Amino acid sequence: MNFWDSIDYKNARKVLVIPNITNSSNIEKDSFIDVIHNHIKALDKYGEYFWNVLVPKGNVTKKLNLPNVKQVEIHIPGDMMNQRAFPSVDLIKILRDVEYDVIYSHLPDWPQVGRYAKFGTKIIGYSHWFEGSKYLPCNGIDRREGKAKWLWLPVELLGISQMETCYLNTQDQKNRVLAEAKEVFKDEFVEKLDKILTVWNLGVEKSKIVENPSNDKRKIIVFNHRPAAYKGYPKFIQLMEEYREQRQDFVVWIPQLSGRVPHSWIDNSKSPKHEYYDRLKDCMVGIQMRQTNYGWSVSGTDCMMNGTPMVWQDSDCYREIDPNGVFWSKKSEFFDILDKILDDDTHRTQMELNAINRANELSENENKMIGELHRKLNS
């Protein structure tokens, strides 16, 4: 399967990308597609690359309609859990027939990548999710028929062990992965993982960061994350219901919430990406609840780069995102923080400027990590 018909890319570094699709029903909004698009565009300035990106059959995405990208359609289960546990039947054929110099795998859950890759091929990895239990309680045992009764972390770690480097988002997450690994594997294997796992604190594109916060804010509290238990959504709704008993002059925007809203003061209207960013600029504050995967929060940095301050439920991983941010542990403390943001324009404006400044710092870190990825893909 030779995709190098264009002479422009005959000498390019050829990368085979293994995807981690979590939103197969709307691939244009899938977070992996955003990440790989940003990496491909950022690496353009470092050298010549040609990318074979595996995508689910029938789900070619406009975001990867780039001159140096070939989208290779294969069968990938739409269910996130099944995707991890059942590698595509097309995978071995792809690994055998497609031309590539290096593999960039965002799904260490498929150890078959290392098993069937061409001899001597290096694998650079990126893990967005770990199915732990004790230290990373992202998933629980699901008693329903046809659902997971056993978690996938040991297989994920076997996949990582075949890689030269595997990036993950926070030091907190790495510490927890290694703690989970000690429950299953020998010390020598855990030490090997420690050397492979590399923290990549995600950044933001410099061009997308606003220079100054909006002067036309409305009393909107935004929860721009998935309305899921591992994102702390049920607790967030409970807190907002209680806060509503104290004051009624605010609206809660939950753009990823589908279906009927539970209260009239909740807005779940959807917007295209550019309008979503514009709407974030109008919000007074974003809320980030503690999440059980202890990873990065792209939705959090979305707020920050648009001049909307985040209020974080205290967690070590969030202090990596915003070391000087506003954190809370107790409900009363949380409500006091919200009151001051909603009522004190001077205080809120300073928080908005702090958020923009931190977004700029993160953009510099992203450039550094893209340079490291370039070196890894070419070593």
Side-chain angles (χ1 to χ4, degrees), residues 15-218:
V15 186
L16 176 62
V17 178
I18 310 297
N20 178 28
I21 305 296
T22 57
N23 191 355
S24 57
S25 61
N26 190 347
I27 197 168
E28 296 296 335
K29 293 187 177 180
D30 187 89
S31 57
F32 161 77
I33 297 299
D34 284 339
V35 168
I36 198 63
H37 172 271
N38 291 342
H39 288 184
I40 289 170
K41 294 297 292 181
L43 285 164
D44 281 347
K45 65 183 178 183
Y46 285 88
E48 281 192 289
Y49 284 94
F50 197 100
W51 305 81
N52 270 309
V53 183
L54 306 187
V55 296
K57 284 184 178 178
N59 275 300
V60 171
T61 168
K62 294 177 183 177
K63 290 181 181 176
L64 295 182
N65 186 20
L66 303 169
N68 61 336
V69 174
K70 170 71 176 183
Q71 297 183 63
V72 185
E73 297 181 63
I74 67 170
H75 172 71
I76 297 177
D79 180 89
M80 284 190 293
M81 307 298 281
N82 289 343
Q83 172 196 243
R84 296 186 176 97
F86 299 101
S88 172
V89 294
D90 304 328
L91 180 64
I92 295 174
K93 186 175 187 298
I94 293 294
L95 290 167
R96 183 190 67 202
D97 296 342
V98 169
E99 186 180 354
Y100 53 86
D101 300 310
V102 62
I103 294 173
Y104 190 26
S105 175
H106 286 242
L107 203 62
D109 315 64
W110 289 1
Q112 289 86 343
V113 172
R115 181 172 173 83
Y116 292 105
K118 293 171 185 176
F119 188 77
T121 302
K122 288 184 178 179
I123 304 173
I124 307 302
Y126 196 120
S127 186
H128 302 257
W129 183 265
F130 294 89
E131 267 191 44
S133 56
K134 186 175 181 180
Y135 301 100
L136 271 168
C138 307
N139 300 104
I141 301 301
D142 196 326
R143 297 180 183 277
R144 293 175 295 170
E145 293 297 325
K147 299 297 182 179
K149 309 298 185 294
W150 181 78
L151 300 179
W152 208 240
L153 183 70
V155 179
E156 292 166 340
L157 298 182
L158 289 173
I160 289 170
S161 71
Q162 301 174 74
M163 298 175 174
E164 181 178 277
T165 298
C166 184
Y167 296 106
L168 76 174
N169 290 152
T170 67
Q171 184 63 46
D172 188 17
Q173 192 176 61
K174 176 176 176 177
N175 293 342
R176 291 170 179 276
V177 169
L178 294 175
E180 292 264 6
K182 290 177 181 177
E183 301 281 318
V184 182
F185 297 103
K186 292 182 178 180
D187 290 344
E188 293 83 357
F189 186 83
V190 177
E191 290 171 7
K192 180 180 180 180
L193 292 176
D194 189 16
K195 293 176 182 177
I196 295 171
L197 290 168
T198 302
V199 176
W200 182 332
N201 288 158
L202 291 179
V204 296
E205 288 185 54
K206 184 81 172 178
S207 62
K208 292 183 178 180
I209 303 173
V210 301
E211 293 185 6
N212 296 295
S214 170
N215 293 322
D216 188 26
K217 297 267 186 175
R218 295 192 295 148

Side-chain angles (χ1 to χ4, degrees), residues 250-263:
F250 65 90
V251 173
V252 174
W253 181 36
I254 311 175
Q256 296 195 54
L257 179 64
S258 298
R260 190 174 179 179
V261 296
H263 301 287

Side-chain angles (χ1 to χ4, degrees), residues 312-329:
W312 314 86
Q313 186 176 13
D314 204 3
S315 185
D316 286 348
C317 60
Y318 296 152
R319 292 184 180 273
E320 296 180 48
I321 302 174
D322 194 5
N324 298 313
V326 176
F327 298 87
W328 63 277
S329 297

Side-chain angles (χ1 to χ4, degrees), residues 346-365:
T346 301
H347 170 71
R348 191 189 67 254
T349 299
Q350 186 57 56
M351 287 183 64
E352 292 164 355
L353 292 171
N354 292 344
I356 293 170
N357 290 337
R358 179 55 181 163
N360 279 298
E361 291 175 358
L362 289 171
S363 73
E364 295 171 6
N365 182 68

